[in-house]
Amino acid sequence: MCKVPLLSSSGEPAAATIEKDEKAPLKSASKFTADQQTIIRAGEVWRSHISPAILVFVIVLPMLIYQKEYFSTFFHDTWYVPIMGIIGCTIPSGGAPVAGGVVFLPILTMKNIEAHEAVAFAASTQMIGVGIFAPMGWMSRDPTVLMPSFLKPMFPFALAGLLFSYLVTPLEKEDEVLLAFTIFVICLAISEEEEAENNSQSTEEVVEDEESAEGYGTMSTTAPVVERQMSKAERRNIVFTPKLFVIYAVCCFLGGMLCGWIGIGVEKVTFFLLTYFHKVDVIAAGLSSITMTGWLSFFAFLLHAVCTPEDEGFGPHLTCGLKDELNPGGHVFGKVPYELWLSVLPGILIGSLIGPVVNAAVGPR
């Protein structure tokens, strides 16, 4: 502590003094609640202890299963899958509102894997990659990126859409899946280009406004008072009006249907809703959206695991959907490729840890 003398009106030091800190005040530790601080500590344990242990386990497990055939069969056939997993999980873990299926499906179809099976792979991978690993990777940094006020009321509508697409209106032909995926990717590219242009225009407007302000000098004290903008934390607390609730519910239902058809899609729909209507920051909107995709993928995985036709892999081969000429058994097309799934697990775990680091280095965009 140092003492700073007070000056009198004549400029002479006054008798009284005030004390001033030599150091800047410490950053307030009240940014997070006690429960959130507990989550942060759990996230730190996850990053430092649990995730390395899981990484070792998922690397060793295929070696134990395949033993002498590990290199000649397993590694020879699936060497590219961990790389695909790193890329596919780094993107959404970094805050981008696109799940790994956008990477998995085109690569797997180029490897002559049937489209329905590629969707099943995306579901089995995303339920862990963006349903567990990606959110846990962010808990030590910012536990508020997941927004319960959005996920709790909207997830049931997205799940209803997913189940409806699988059991009532499935895409039974491979060409239909590929066509739907192609249309989605085209729309995704267009939307990303428009967002980039809007961000560029917004940046230019801000620069022009700052330059204009500098030219005018001191602002008038009679300028109208601008309404206080909501903080990031306040925007992350989603409050629905009846109209917005209906809009979100319908869009989540349709996004869930899209997720059932091609393995992805709902995350981009909800990202747009959150950033457009509630002005949520891109990190929270992106992470909450892909987490919803991961949770939906768990139910998609179950359907692929237990409802596939009898000639497609393991499972009880239950009748789950409506029967028709193309699907007389009422099954879900596309078996889960467990060999590829075992191979991708190390990649998606590594990607989930890289994503937040990349975001911190280059920003959310």
Side-chain angles (χ1 to χ4, degrees), residues 28-76:
S28 175
S30 61
K31 179 180 178 181
F32 300 113
T33 65
D35 292 338
Q36 291 170 347
Q37 291 174 4
T38 301
I39 295 175
I40 291 175
R41 289 190 291 270
E44 293 172 349
V45 173
W46 166 267
R47 291 181 64 87
S48 60
H49 297 88
I50 299 178
S51 58
I54 294 177
L55 181 60
V56 172
F57 175 76
V58 295
I59 291 175
V60 173
L61 181 61
M63 296 180 181
L64 298 177
I65 295 175
Y66 290 89
Q67 298 182 1
K68 296 181 179 180
E69 296 180 352
Y70 175 78
F71 288 103
S72 61
T73 301
F74 180 81
F75 185 78
H76 179 270

Side-chain angles (χ1 to χ4, degrees), residues 17-33:
T17 61
I18 60 173
E19 294 183 347
K20 180 180 178 182
D21 290 336
E22 293 180 348
K23 297 181 180 179
L26 296 176
K27 185 177 180 180
S28 175
S30 61
K31 179 180 178 181
F32 300 113
T33 65

Side-chain angles (χ1 to χ4, degrees), residues 71-195:
F71 288 103
S72 61
T73 301
F74 180 81
F75 185 78
H76 179 270
D77 295 338
T78 64
W79 61 269
Y80 64 95
V81 180
I83 301 173
M84 181 176 65
I86 293 175
I87 299 173
C89 200
T90 298
I91 295 173
S93 297
V98 182
V102 74
V103 176
F104 303 148
L105 197 144
I107 294 178
L108 293 178
T109 52
M110 286 191 295
K111 299 292 289 186
N112 297 319
I113 294 176
E114 202 268 340
H116 291 97
E117 188 173 338
V119 172
F121 172 82
S124 60
T125 302
Q126 290 169 174
M127 72 171 180
I128 295 179
V130 296
I132 300 175
F133 289 169
M136 290 302 300
W138 272 89
M139 290 303 98
S140 63
R141 296 175 178 268
D142 186 356
T144 65
V145 293
L146 297 185
M147 299 179 291
S149 57
F150 156 70
L151 290 169
K152 288 181 179 179
M154 290 300 129
F155 178 74
F157 295 100
L159 178 59
L162 178 88
L163 297 177
F164 187 82
S165 67
Y166 268 106
L167 307 180
V168 182
T169 59
L171 299 182
E172 298 174 336
K173 297 180 180 180
E174 182 178 15
D175 292 342
E176 295 174 344
V177 177
L178 295 177
L179 177 61
F181 180 81
T182 302
I183 294 174
F184 172 78
V185 171
I186 293 174
C187 295
L188 177 65
I190 294 174
S191 66
E192 289 296 329
E193 182 178 356
E194 291 180 351
E195 288 179 7

